[in-house]
Amino acid sequence: MMRLPTLKQLKYFQKLCEEQHFGRAAEACFVSQSAFSNAIRELEANLDAELVDRTNRNVTITAKGQDVATQARLVLRDVESLVDIARGDPAPLTGELRLGVIPTIAPFVLPAALPKLRREYPELELLLIEDQTQRIYERLMQGELDVLMLALPWQMQGVEEYALFKDRFCLACRNGTERVDPQNYRFNRLDADSVLLLEDGHCLRDHALAACKIRNTQKVRRFGASSLLTLIEMVDADLGITFLPEMAQGSALLKNTRVQLHAMGDSSYRTIGLVWRKGSRRKDEFRLLGEFLRDNH
């Protein structure tokens, strides 16, 4: 008969992956280091796989161990859902919810929405992780995050999407610049290297290129800004122009700068939405969160 790992072993291994240290992981699980190490060895024996490389002073999770860790997180989440089913469905938007959000949305939407969310749902324990789209998507699929707030479209598999609202792009330039006439903007009139964008990996770069119909890459400076703050500072220094989402209007990032936003029409936009793993039991709860964010952004 197949020997199956215990939930305790999976929890210990998950904590070891987080701490990358046997002593700290054992302490976090409130057991002795010897008992903790024995549990990990028993897990490896049950799975007939080497999960941890013990040859170095620091713990190294093997490739097989990383795969097991991903599945272990999902198994433990499913067990938690099983307990919720047995106890009866809890009230919506209560308990822990881990939200991944991209940096080109977080500073514009969350400051206004979160205080209202706390008042409306005081028992919700919202944990926020801010990172690039690909990274939070990977963490979602590994079970580390519950739901994402990001800009669509983005190539993803195994998820459900819930569109919230359109966020139109605006021409962003320093007040008084001679690089562009905001009232008579034409992309083909821009000089080479006039357009500043975020570096590769930020979905705002891809969405700006697509939504603003930027096809002549000679207009785009090869050096990309590493963050939204850096991009705005470069525009404020009149090193070029860029395209920012409408939600940035009036934000703290533009405060005390000479950067102004100018509307570009209804055809240049990105869609803001929520994304969660396909088949999640909490999909109705995520939709409720989406409705709240849509009404309070």
Side-chain angles (χ1 to χ4, degrees), residues 189-221:
R189 295 178 183 173
L190 295 174
D191 294 333
D193 293 334
S194 293
V195 179
L196 304 170
L197 296 174
L198 290 172
E199 62 188 5
D200 289 336
H202 291 274
C203 65
L204 184 65
R205 176 186 178 91
D206 299 326
H207 287 147
L209 288 170
C212 301
K213 302 174 178 61
I214 301 175
R215 298 182 179 87
N216 185 351
T217 55
Q218 291 182 346
K219 305 286 188 182
V220 180
R221 184 169 297 192

Tab-separated table of all heavy atoms in Angstrom, residues 189-221:
chain	number	residue	atom	x	y	z
A	189	ARG	N	5.263	62.770	-34.962
A	189	ARG	CA	5.998	64.037	-34.898
A	189	ARG	C	7.083	64.023	-33.817
A	189	ARG	O	7.885	64.947	-33.727
A	189	ARG	CB	5.036	65.188	-34.607
A	189	ARG	CG	4.017	65.451	-35.720
A	189	ARG	CD	3.080	66.579	-35.306
A	189	ARG	NE	2.043	66.807	-36.306
A	189	ARG	CZ	1.014	67.644	-36.144
A	189	ARG	NH1	0.917	68.332	-35.011
A	189	ARG	NH2	0.114	67.792	-37.096
A	190	LEU	N	7.095	62.988	-33.007
A	190	LEU	CA	8.077	62.918	-31.930
A	190	LEU	C	9.467	62.631	-32.486
A	190	LEU	O	9.626	61.914	-33.481
A	190	LEU	CB	7.693	61.817	-30.935
A	190	LEU	CG	6.397	62.013	-30.151
A	190	LEU	CD1	6.104	60.756	-29.324
A	190	LEU	CD2	6.481	63.231	-29.252
A	191	ASP	N	10.470	63.167	-31.823
A	191	ASP	CA	11.852	62.883	-32.198
A	191	ASP	C	12.239	61.476	-31.739
A	191	ASP	O	11.576	60.881	-30.892
A	191	ASP	CB	12.803	63.903	-31.562
A	191	ASP	CG	12.594	65.315	-32.108
A	191	ASP	OD1	12.133	65.443	-33.265
A	191	ASP	OD2	12.869	66.281	-31.365
A	192	ALA	N	13.321	60.953	-32.291
A	192	ALA	CA	13.822	59.648	-31.858
A	192	ALA	C	14.200	59.710	-30.377
A	192	ALA	O	14.641	60.752	-29.876
A	192	ALA	CB	15.034	59.244	-32.701
A	193	ASP	N	14.010	58.594	-29.683
A	193	ASP	CA	14.336	58.468	-28.252
A	193	ASP	C	13.530	59.420	-27.374
A	193	ASP	O	13.962	59.774	-26.272
A	193	ASP	CB	15.835	58.692	-28.000
A	193	ASP	CG	16.700	57.610	-28.600
A	193	ASP	OD1	16.195	56.478	-28.758
A	193	ASP	OD2	17.873	57.885	-28.892
A	194	SER	N	12.356	59.819	-27.851
A	194	SER	CA	11.541	60.757	-27.078
A	194	SER	C	10.655	60.066	-26.052
A	194	SER	O	10.256	60.685	-25.059
A	194	SER	CB	10.643	61.589	-28.010
A	194	SER	OG	11.398	62.452	-28.810
A	195	VAL	N	10.327	58.803	-26.284
A	195	VAL	CA	9.363	58.106	-25.434
A	195	VAL	C	10.102	57.305	-24.357
A	195	VAL	O	10.967	56.486	-24.659
A	195	VAL	CB	8.472	57.167	-26.265
A	195	VAL	CG1	7.491	56.425	-25.357
A	195	VAL	CG2	7.708	57.958	-27.322
A	196	LEU	N	9.747	57.547	-23.113
A	196	LEU	CA	10.307	56.826	-21.980
A	196	LEU	C	9.283	55.809	-21.490
A	196	LEU	O	8.100	56.133	-21.342
A	196	LEU	CB	10.641	57.793	-20.842
A	196	LEU	CG	11.588	58.948	-21.183
A	196	LEU	CD1	11.628	59.945	-20.032
A	196	LEU	CD2	12.985	58.425	-21.486
A	197	LEU	N	9.726	54.577	-21.231
A	197	LEU	CA	8.838	53.528	-20.734
A	197	LEU	C	9.540	52.764	-19.617
A	197	LEU	O	10.750	52.916	-19.406
A	197	LEU	CB	8.466	52.564	-21.863
A	197	LEU	CG	7.662	53.131	-23.033
A	197	LEU	CD1	7.502	52.077	-24.123
A	197	LEU	CD2	6.303	53.640	-22.581
A	198	LEU	N	8.770	51.949	-18.909
A	198	LEU	CA	9.360	51.055	-17.920
A	198	LEU	C	10.162	49.969	-18.626
A	198	LEU	O	9.938	49.677	-19.806
A	198	LEU	CB	8.265	50.430	-17.053
A	198	LEU	CG	7.562	51.367	-16.078
A	198	LEU	CD1	6.369	50.671	-15.439
A	198	LEU	CD2	8.518	51.872	-15.000
A	199	GLU	N	11.085	49.350	-17.907
A	199	GLU	CA	11.906	48.301	-18.491
A	199	GLU	C	11.078	47.040	-18.722
A	199	GLU	O	9.959	46.902	-18.221
A	199	GLU	CB	13.094	47.993	-17.572
A	199	GLU	CG	12.698	47.487	-16.198
A	199	GLU	CD	13.874	47.369	-15.249
A	199	GLU	OE1	14.984	47.775	-15.626
A	199	GLU	OE2	13.665	46.872	-14.128
A	200	ASP	N	11.639	46.127	-19.497
A	200	ASP	CA	10.960	44.857	-19.778
A	200	ASP	C	10.606	44.142	-18.485
A	200	ASP	O	11.368	44.147	-17.524
A	200	ASP	CB	11.854	43.949	-20.635
A	200	ASP	CG	11.995	44.466	-22.058
A	200	ASP	OD1	11.102	45.202	-22.505
A	200	ASP	OD2	12.996	44.126	-22.719
A	201	GLY	N	9.444	43.496	-18.494
A	201	GLY	CA	8.965	42.788	-17.311
A	201	GLY	C	7.782	43.471	-16.671
A	201	GLY	O	7.010	42.838	-15.956
A	202	HIS	N	7.638	44.781	-16.915
A	202	HIS	CA	6.487	45.526	-16.411
A	202	HIS	C	5.384	45.506	-17.465
A	202	HIS	O	5.611	45.904	-18.618
A	202	HIS	CB	6.867	46.973	-16.103
A	202	HIS	CG	7.780	47.126	-14.920
A	202	HIS	ND1	7.306	47.213	-13.630
A	202	HIS	CD2	9.133	47.189	-14.844
A	202	HIS	CE1	8.331	47.346	-12.798
A	202	HIS	NE2	9.444	47.330	-13.503
A	203	CYS	N	4.201	45.047	-17.071
A	203	CYS	CA	3.124	44.953	-18.049
A	203	CYS	C	2.701	46.323	-18.542
A	203	CYS	O	2.154	46.443	-19.642
A	203	CYS	CB	1.930	44.195	-17.471
A	203	CYS	SG	1.124	45.030	-16.089
A	204	LEU	N	2.942	47.390	-17.756
A	204	LEU	CA	2.575	48.733	-18.203
A	204	LEU	C	3.310	49.090	-19.487
A	204	LEU	O	2.763	49.796	-20.336
A	204	LEU	CB	2.878	49.763	-17.112
A	204	LEU	CG	2.437	51.195	-17.428
A	204	LEU	CD1	0.916	51.282	-17.520
A	204	LEU	CD2	2.945	52.173	-16.374
A	205	ARG	N	4.526	48.596	-19.639
A	205	ARG	CA	5.274	48.859	-20.870
A	205	ARG	C	4.561	48.219	-22.061
A	205	ARG	O	4.309	48.879	-23.075
A	205	ARG	CB	6.687	48.289	-20.745
A	205	ARG	CG	7.517	48.417	-22.026
A	205	ARG	CD	8.863	47.702	-21.911
A	205	ARG	NE	9.612	47.813	-23.158
A	205	ARG	CZ	10.462	48.790	-23.421
A	205	ARG	NH1	10.672	49.746	-22.525
A	205	ARG	NH2	11.103	48.842	-24.568
A	206	ASP	N	4.197	46.935	-21.921
A	206	ASP	CA	3.536	46.234	-23.019
A	206	ASP	C	2.172	46.836	-23.328
A	206	ASP	O	1.800	46.990	-24.495
A	206	ASP	CB	3.382	44.751	-22.673
A	206	ASP	CG	4.731	44.073	-22.460
A	206	ASP	OD1	5.692	44.455	-23.137
A	206	ASP	OD2	4.815	43.174	-21.614
A	207	HIS	N	1.424	47.186	-22.287
A	207	HIS	CA	0.099	47.754	-22.511
A	207	HIS	C	0.180	49.141	-23.139
A	207	HIS	O	-0.640	49.500	-23.979
A	207	HIS	CB	-0.661	47.820	-21.193
A	207	HIS	CG	-1.103	46.477	-20.715
A	207	HIS	ND1	-1.193	46.145	-19.378
A	207	HIS	CD2	-1.471	45.368	-21.386
A	207	HIS	CE1	-1.607	44.908	-19.260
A	207	HIS	NE2	-1.770	44.406	-20.467
A	208	ALA	N	1.184	49.932	-22.736
A	208	ALA	CA	1.352	51.257	-23.337
A	208	ALA	C	1.717	51.133	-24.815
A	208	ALA	O	1.183	51.857	-25.666
A	208	ALA	CB	2.422	52.046	-22.585
A	209	LEU	N	2.612	50.206	-25.134
A	209	LEU	CA	2.991	50.006	-26.537
A	209	LEU	C	1.792	49.606	-27.380
A	209	LEU	O	1.609	50.094	-28.499
A	209	LEU	CB	4.074	48.925	-26.627
A	209	LEU	CG	5.467	49.306	-26.122
A	209	LEU	CD1	6.370	48.077	-26.052
A	209	LEU	CD2	6.097	50.361	-27.027
A	210	ALA	N	0.951	48.716	-26.831
A	210	ALA	CA	-0.204	48.228	-27.592
A	210	ALA	C	-1.329	49.258	-27.638
A	210	ALA	O	-1.840	49.592	-28.714
A	210	ALA	CB	-0.717	46.927	-26.979
A	211	ALA	N	-1.700	49.790	-26.470
A	211	ALA	CA	-2.851	50.690	-26.402
A	211	ALA	C	-2.585	52.011	-27.097
A	211	ALA	O	-3.495	52.597	-27.693
A	211	ALA	CB	-3.238	50.928	-24.942
A	212	CYS	N	-1.352	52.493	-27.027
A	212	CYS	CA	-1.019	53.773	-27.640
A	212	CYS	C	-0.485	53.607	-29.058
A	212	CYS	O	0.001	54.549	-29.670
A	212	CYS	CB	-0.013	54.525	-26.770
A	212	CYS	SG	-0.631	54.850	-25.095
A	213	LYS	N	-0.564	52.350	-29.552
A	213	LYS	CA	-0.224	52.049	-30.950
A	213	LYS	C	1.185	52.525	-31.304
A	213	LYS	O	1.416	53.177	-32.320
A	213	LYS	CB	-1.260	52.670	-31.893
A	213	LYS	CG	-2.689	52.176	-31.614
A	213	LYS	CD	-3.706	52.919	-32.461
A	213	LYS	CE	-5.110	52.382	-32.201
A	213	LYS	NZ	-5.532	52.550	-30.785
A	214	ILE	N	2.144	52.168	-30.447
A	214	ILE	CA	3.543	52.535	-30.667
A	214	ILE	C	4.217	51.422	-31.446
A	214	ILE	O	4.452	50.334	-30.921
A	214	ILE	CB	4.262	52.765	-29.321
A	214	ILE	CG1	3.558	53.867	-28.531
A	214	ILE	CG2	5.725	53.112	-29.549
A	214	ILE	CD1	4.116	54.073	-27.138
A	215	ARG	N	4.495	51.680	-32.680
A	215	ARG	CA	5.123	50.660	-33.536
A	215	ARG	C	6.538	51.058	-33.953
A	215	ARG	O	7.334	50.209	-34.304
A	215	ARG	CB	4.263	50.435	-34.785
A	215	ARG	CG	2.860	49.915	-34.461
A	215	ARG	CD	2.055	49.658	-35.722
A	215	ARG	NE	0.730	49.145	-35.411
A	215	ARG	CZ	-0.316	49.892	-35.160
A	215	ARG	NH1	-0.191	51.228	-35.188
A	215	ARG	NH2	-1.491	49.369	-34.876
A	216	ASN	N	6.821	52.325	-33.952
A	216	ASN	CA	8.150	52.797	-34.340
A	216	ASN	C	9.044	52.805	-33.106
A	216	ASN	O	9.026	53.744	-32.322
A	216	ASN	CB	8.049	54.201	-34.942
A	216	ASN	CG	9.392	54.695	-35.473
A	216	ASN	OD1	10.428	54.064	-35.243
A	216	ASN	ND2	9.374	55.800	-36.179
A	217	THR	N	9.818	51.746	-32.935
A	217	THR	CA	10.633	51.625	-31.729
A	217	THR	C	11.765	52.646	-31.685
A	217	THR	O	12.381	52.834	-30.632
A	217	THR	CB	11.235	50.211	-31.633
A	217	THR	OG1	11.964	49.925	-32.830
A	217	THR	CG2	10.133	49.184	-31.429
A	218	GLN	N	12.066	53.303	-32.795
A	218	GLN	CA	13.098	54.331	-32.760
A	218	GLN	C	12.667	55.521	-31.912
A	218	GLN	O	13.509	56.289	-31.431
A	218	GLN	CB	13.423	54.809	-34.183
A	218	GLN	CG	14.123	53.766	-35.042
A	218	GLN	CD	14.472	54.301	-36.412
A	218	GLN	OE1	13.993	55.354	-36.838
A	218	GLN	NE2	15.319	53.575	-37.126
A	219	LYS	N	11.381	55.651	-31.723
A	219	LYS	CA	10.883	56.738	-30.887
A	219	LYS	C	11.069	56.416	-29.394
A	219	LYS	O	11.026	57.304	-28.551
A	219	LYS	CB	9.389	56.967	-31.138
A	219	LYS	CG	9.015	57.211	-32.593
A	219	LYS	CD	9.407	58.583	-33.065
A	219	LYS	CE	8.838	58.849	-34.466
A	219	LYS	NZ	9.242	60.185	-34.974
A	220	VAL	N	11.229	55.130	-29.070
A	220	VAL	CA	11.305	54.688	-27.677
A	220	VAL	C	12.765	54.587	-27.247
A	220	VAL	O	13.567	53.913	-27.902
A	220	VAL	CB	10.616	53.327	-27.487
A	220	VAL	CG1	10.709	52.879	-26.028
A	220	VAL	CG2	9.159	53.409	-27.937
A	221	ARG	N	13.097	55.236	-26.152
A	221	ARG	CA	14.467	55.171	-25.635
A	221	ARG	C	14.777	53.750	-25.178
A	221	ARG	O	13.960	53.104	-24.524
A	221	ARG	CB	14.638	56.161	-24.479
A	221	ARG	CG	16.063	56.227	-23.948
A	221	ARG	CD	16.261	57.392	-23.014
A	221	ARG	NE	16.058	58.674	-23.691
A	221	ARG	CZ	16.394	59.855	-23.168
A	221	ARG	NH1	16.950	59.903	-21.972
A	221	ARG	NH2	16.168	60.962	-23.833
